[in-house]
PDB file of all heavy atoms in Angstrom:
ATOM      1  N   MET A   1      -7.143 -29.581  19.837  1.00  0.00           N
ATOM      2  CA  MET A   1      -7.182 -30.568  18.746  1.00  0.00           C
ATOM      3  C   MET A   1      -6.912 -31.960  19.293  1.00  0.00           C
ATOM      4  O   MET A   1      -5.936 -32.180  20.009  1.00  0.00           O
ATOM      5  CB  MET A   1      -6.127 -30.224  17.685  1.00  0.00           C
ATOM      6  CG  MET A   1      -6.113 -31.162  16.490  1.00  0.00           C
ATOM      7  SD  MET A   1      -4.890 -30.649  15.260  1.00  0.00           S
ATOM      8  CE  MET A   1      -3.369 -30.813  16.171  1.00  0.00           C
ATOM      9  N   ASP A   2      -7.768 -32.921  18.972  1.00  0.00           N
ATOM     10  CA  ASP A   2      -7.627 -34.298  19.425  1.00  0.00           C
ATOM     11  C   ASP A   2      -6.438 -34.937  18.720  1.00  0.00           C
ATOM     12  O   ASP A   2      -6.316 -34.895  17.506  1.00  0.00           O
ATOM     13  CB  ASP A   2      -8.910 -35.062  19.119  1.00  0.00           C
ATOM     14  CG  ASP A   2      -8.947 -36.422  19.798  1.00  0.00           C
ATOM     15  OD1 ASP A   2      -7.916 -36.815  20.361  1.00  0.00           O
ATOM     16  OD2 ASP A   2      -9.994 -37.077  19.755  1.00  0.00           O
ATOM     17  N   ASP A   3      -5.535 -35.551  19.518  1.00  0.00           N
ATOM     18  CA  ASP A   3      -4.350 -36.178  18.934  1.00  0.00           C
ATOM     19  C   ASP A   3      -4.636 -37.571  18.382  1.00  0.00           C
ATOM     20  O   ASP A   3      -3.802 -38.152  17.695  1.00  0.00           O
ATOM     21  CB  ASP A   3      -3.231 -36.266  19.975  1.00  0.00           C
ATOM     22  CG  ASP A   3      -2.678 -34.900  20.350  1.00  0.00           C
ATOM     23  OD1 ASP A   3      -2.831 -33.975  19.534  1.00  0.00           O
ATOM     24  OD2 ASP A   3      -2.104 -34.760  21.443  1.00  0.00           O
ATOM     25  N   ILE A   4      -5.810 -38.130  18.734  1.00  0.00           N
ATOM     26  CA  ILE A   4      -6.178 -39.465  18.265  1.00  0.00           C
ATOM     27  C   ILE A   4      -6.854 -39.352  16.901  1.00  0.00           C
ATOM     28  O   ILE A   4      -7.723 -38.509  16.677  1.00  0.00           O
ATOM     29  CB  ILE A   4      -7.122 -40.154  19.264  1.00  0.00           C
ATOM     30  CG1 ILE A   4      -6.478 -40.207  20.653  1.00  0.00           C
ATOM     31  CG2 ILE A   4      -7.475 -41.551  18.778  1.00  0.00           C
ATOM     32  CD1 ILE A   4      -5.164 -40.939  20.697  1.00  0.00           C
ATOM     33  N   LEU A   5      -6.480 -40.230  15.997  1.00  0.00           N
ATOM     34  CA  LEU A   5      -7.058 -40.217  14.652  1.00  0.00           C
ATOM     35  C   LEU A   5      -8.504 -40.695  14.702  1.00  0.00           C
ATOM     36  O   LEU A   5      -8.818 -41.727  15.295  1.00  0.00           O
ATOM     37  CB  LEU A   5      -6.250 -41.123  13.731  1.00  0.00           C
ATOM     38  CG  LEU A   5      -4.815 -40.689  13.441  1.00  0.00           C
ATOM     39  CD1 LEU A   5      -4.028 -41.826  12.796  1.00  0.00           C
ATOM     40  CD2 LEU A   5      -4.789 -39.463  12.543  1.00  0.00           C
ATOM     41  N   SER A   6      -9.391 -39.947  14.069  1.00  0.00           N
ATOM     42  CA  SER A   6     -10.793 -40.346  13.969  1.00  0.00           C
ATOM     43  C   SER A   6     -10.942 -41.428  12.902  1.00  0.00           C
ATOM     44  O   SER A   6     -10.033 -41.673  12.102  1.00  0.00           O
ATOM     45  CB  SER A   6     -11.659 -39.139  13.605  1.00  0.00           C
ATOM     46  OG  SER A   6     -11.335 -38.685  12.288  1.00  0.00           O
ATOM     47  N   ASP A   7     -12.108 -42.069  12.875  1.00  0.00           N
ATOM     48  CA  ASP A   7     -12.370 -43.079  11.849  1.00  0.00           C
ATOM     49  C   ASP A   7     -12.273 -42.467  10.455  1.00  0.00           C
ATOM     50  O   ASP A   7     -11.772 -43.100   9.513  1.00  0.00           O
ATOM     51  CB  ASP A   7     -13.760 -43.693  12.050  1.00  0.00           C
ATOM     52  CG  ASP A   7     -13.828 -44.575  13.288  1.00  0.00           C
ATOM     53  OD1 ASP A   7     -12.762 -44.959  13.808  1.00  0.00           O
ATOM     54  OD2 ASP A   7     -14.959 -44.876  13.733  1.00  0.00           O
ATOM     55  N   GLU A   9     -10.412 -39.913   9.563  1.00  0.00           N
ATOM     56  CA  GLU A   9      -9.002 -39.675   9.249  1.00  0.00           C
ATOM     57  C   GLU A   9      -8.282 -40.986   8.930  1.00  0.00           C
ATOM     58  O   GLU A   9      -7.418 -41.034   8.040  1.00  0.00           O
ATOM     59  CB  GLU A   9      -8.330 -38.969  10.419  1.00  0.00           C
ATOM     60  CG  GLU A   9      -8.746 -37.520  10.563  1.00  0.00           C
ATOM     61  CD  GLU A   9      -8.198 -36.896  11.831  1.00  0.00           C
ATOM     62  OE1 GLU A   9      -8.475 -37.424  12.936  1.00  0.00           O
ATOM     63  OE2 GLU A   9      -7.484 -35.877  11.726  1.00  0.00           O
ATOM     64  N   TYR A  13      -6.350 -41.238   5.370  1.00  0.00           N
ATOM     65  CA  TYR A  13      -4.900 -41.421   5.286  1.00  0.00           C
ATOM     66  C   TYR A  13      -4.485 -42.880   5.129  1.00  0.00           C
ATOM     67  O   TYR A  13      -3.317 -43.219   5.312  1.00  0.00           O
ATOM     68  CB  TYR A  13      -4.230 -40.833   6.535  1.00  0.00           C
ATOM     69  CG  TYR A  13      -4.615 -39.399   6.824  1.00  0.00           C
ATOM     70  CD1 TYR A  13      -5.073 -39.013   8.082  1.00  0.00           C
ATOM     71  CD2 TYR A  13      -4.532 -38.411   5.837  1.00  0.00           C
ATOM     72  CE1 TYR A  13      -5.426 -37.702   8.353  1.00  0.00           C
ATOM     73  CE2 TYR A  13      -4.890 -37.099   6.095  1.00  0.00           C
ATOM     74  CZ  TYR A  13      -5.341 -36.752   7.357  1.00  0.00           C
ATOM     75  OH  TYR A  13      -5.702 -35.448   7.619  1.00  0.00           O
ATOM     76  N   GLN A  27       1.383 -41.489  11.379  1.00  0.00           N
ATOM     77  CA  GLN A  27       0.266 -40.594  11.072  1.00  0.00           C
ATOM     78  C   GLN A  27      -0.125 -39.782  12.301  1.00  0.00           C
ATOM     79  O   GLN A  27      -0.439 -38.587  12.193  1.00  0.00           O
ATOM     80  CB  GLN A  27      -0.935 -41.405  10.580  1.00  0.00           C
ATOM     81  CG  GLN A  27      -2.036 -40.548   9.959  1.00  0.00           C
ATOM     82  CD  GLN A  27      -1.595 -39.888   8.663  1.00  0.00           C
ATOM     83  OE1 GLN A  27      -1.181 -40.555   7.718  1.00  0.00           O
ATOM     84  NE2 GLN A  27      -1.671 -38.565   8.623  1.00  0.00           N
ATOM     85  N   GLU A  28      -0.107 -40.390  13.467  1.00  0.00           N
ATOM     86  CA  GLU A  28      -0.438 -39.654  14.687  1.00  0.00           C
ATOM     87  C   GLU A  28       0.629 -38.611  15.007  1.00  0.00           C
ATOM     88  O   GLU A  28       0.319 -37.502  15.450  1.00  0.00           O
ATOM     89  CB  GLU A  28      -0.615 -40.624  15.855  1.00  0.00           C
ATOM     90  CG  GLU A  28      -1.900 -41.436  15.750  1.00  0.00           C
ATOM     91  CD  GLU A  28      -2.108 -42.375  16.931  1.00  0.00           C
ATOM     92  OE1 GLU A  28      -1.112 -42.662  17.635  1.00  0.00           O
ATOM     93  OE2 GLU A  28      -3.248 -42.806  17.140  1.00  0.00           O
ATOM     94  N   ALA A  29       1.893 -38.952  14.768  1.00  0.00           N
ATOM     95  CA  ALA A  29       2.972 -37.980  14.983  1.00  0.00           C
ATOM     96  C   ALA A  29       2.805 -36.788  14.045  1.00  0.00           C
ATOM     97  O   ALA A  29       3.027 -35.629  14.442  1.00  0.00           O
ATOM     98  CB  ALA A  29       4.330 -38.643  14.761  1.00  0.00           C
ATOM     99  N   LEU A  30       2.391 -37.060  12.814  1.00  0.00           N
ATOM    100  CA  LEU A  30       2.170 -35.996  11.849  1.00  0.00           C
ATOM    101  C   LEU A  30       1.008 -35.114  12.290  1.00  0.00           C
ATOM    102  O   LEU A  30       1.065 -33.883  12.200  1.00  0.00           O
ATOM    103  CB  LEU A  30       1.901 -36.594  10.467  1.00  0.00           C
ATOM    104  CG  LEU A  30       1.960 -35.656   9.263  1.00  0.00           C
ATOM    105  CD1 LEU A  30       3.332 -35.011   9.133  1.00  0.00           C
ATOM    106  CD2 LEU A  30       1.604 -36.402   7.988  1.00  0.00           C
ATOM    107  N   LYS A  31      -0.049 -35.736  12.795  1.00  0.00           N
ATOM    108  CA  LYS A  31      -1.219 -34.969  13.232  1.00  0.00           C
ATOM    109  C   LYS A  31      -0.885 -34.056  14.410  1.00  0.00           C
ATOM    110  O   LYS A  31      -1.447 -32.974  14.552  1.00  0.00           O
ATOM    111  CB  LYS A  31      -2.352 -35.920  13.611  1.00  0.00           C
ATOM    112  CG  LYS A  31      -3.612 -35.183  14.079  1.00  0.00           C
ATOM    113  CD  LYS A  31      -4.778 -36.100  14.359  1.00  0.00           C
ATOM    114  CE  LYS A  31      -5.985 -35.300  14.822  1.00  0.00           C
ATOM    115  NZ  LYS A  31      -7.177 -36.143  15.026  1.00  0.00           N
ATOM    116  N   GLN A  32       0.026 -34.457  15.250  1.00  0.00           N
ATOM    117  CA  GLN A  32       0.400 -33.672  16.420  1.00  0.00           C
ATOM    118  C   GLN A  32       1.401 -32.568  16.103  1.00  0.00           C
ATOM    119  O   GLN A  32       1.701 -31.739  16.973  1.00  0.00           O
ATOM    120  CB  GLN A  32       0.983 -34.606  17.493  1.00  0.00           C
ATOM    121  CG  GLN A  32      -0.017 -35.594  18.055  1.00  0.00           C
ATOM    122  CD  GLN A  32       0.639 -36.727  18.822  1.00  0.00           C
ATOM    123  OE1 GLN A  32       1.743 -36.584  19.312  1.00  0.00           O
ATOM    124  NE2 GLN A  32      -0.052 -37.860  18.903  1.00  0.00           N
ATOM    125  N   ALA A  33       1.894 -32.528  14.871  1.00  0.00           N
ATOM    126  CA  ALA A  33       2.969 -31.599  14.518  1.00  0.00           C
ATOM    127  C   ALA A  33       2.456 -30.265  14.008  1.00  0.00           C
ATOM    128  O   ALA A  33       1.393 -30.188  13.381  1.00  0.00           O
ATOM    129  CB  ALA A  33       3.870 -32.239  13.462  1.00  0.00           C
ATOM    130  N   HIS A  34       3.222 -29.231  14.295  1.00  0.00           N
ATOM    131  CA  HIS A  34       2.971 -27.887  13.789  1.00  0.00           C
ATOM    132  C   HIS A  34       4.162 -27.473  12.929  1.00  0.00           C
ATOM    133  O   HIS A  34       5.300 -27.495  13.404  1.00  0.00           O
ATOM    134  CB  HIS A  34       2.800 -26.887  14.930  1.00  0.00           C
ATOM    135  CG  HIS A  34       1.619 -27.160  15.813  1.00  0.00           C
ATOM    136  ND1 HIS A  34       1.297 -26.347  16.879  1.00  0.00           N
ATOM    137  CD2 HIS A  34       0.681 -28.147  15.786  1.00  0.00           C
ATOM    138  CE1 HIS A  34       0.209 -26.826  17.476  1.00  0.00           C
ATOM    139  NE2 HIS A  34      -0.173 -27.920  16.831  1.00  0.00           N
ATOM    140  N   GLY A  55      -1.853 -34.776   6.139  1.00  0.00           N
ATOM    141  CA  GLY A  55      -2.455 -34.830   7.460  1.00  0.00           C
ATOM    142  C   GLY A  55      -1.663 -34.227   8.589  1.00  0.00           C
ATOM    143  O   GLY A  55      -1.826 -34.619   9.750  1.00  0.00           O
ATOM    144  N   ILE A  56      -0.805 -33.248   8.294  1.00  0.00           N
ATOM    145  CA  ILE A  56      -0.136 -32.549   9.391  1.00  0.00           C
ATOM    146  C   ILE A  56      -1.198 -31.832  10.224  1.00  0.00           C
ATOM    147  O   ILE A  56      -2.254 -31.448   9.717  1.00  0.00           O
ATOM    148  CB  ILE A  56       0.909 -31.563   8.839  1.00  0.00           C
ATOM    149  CG1 ILE A  56       1.842 -31.100   9.963  1.00  0.00           C
ATOM    150  CG2 ILE A  56       0.245 -30.376   8.137  1.00  0.00           C
ATOM    151  CD1 ILE A  56       3.104 -30.447   9.484  1.00  0.00           C
ATOM    152  N   GLY A  57      -0.942 -31.670  11.507  1.00  0.00           N
ATOM    153  CA  GLY A  57      -1.957 -31.100  12.369  1.00  0.00           C
ATOM    154  C   GLY A  57      -2.205 -29.619  12.154  1.00  0.00           C
ATOM    155  O   GLY A  57      -3.344 -29.156  12.150  1.00  0.00           O
ATOM    156  N   HIS A 101      -9.359 -31.134   8.369  1.00  0.00           N
ATOM    157  CA  HIS A 101      -8.799 -31.591   9.632  1.00  0.00           C
ATOM    158  C   HIS A 101      -7.544 -30.818  10.034  1.00  0.00           C
ATOM    159  O   HIS A 101      -7.026 -31.019  11.137  1.00  0.00           O
ATOM    160  CB  HIS A 101      -8.463 -33.087   9.561  1.00  0.00           C
ATOM    161  CG  HIS A 101      -9.638 -33.952   9.250  1.00  0.00           C
ATOM    162  ND1 HIS A 101     -10.626 -34.240  10.170  1.00  0.00           N
ATOM    163  CD2 HIS A 101     -10.000 -34.575   8.097  1.00  0.00           C
ATOM    164  CE1 HIS A 101     -11.537 -35.017   9.613  1.00  0.00           C
ATOM    165  NE2 HIS A 101     -11.183 -35.241   8.356  1.00  0.00           N
TER     166      HIS A 101
END
Side-chain angles (χ1 to χ4, degrees):
M1 182 178 63
D2 191 352
D3 292 337
I4 304 301
L5 294 167
S6 66
D7 290 344
E9 288 173 303
Y13 307 129
Q27 192 67 57
E28 288 182 341
L30 194 60
K31 180 176 180 176
Q32 294 165 24
H34 297 181
I56 194 164
H101 301 285

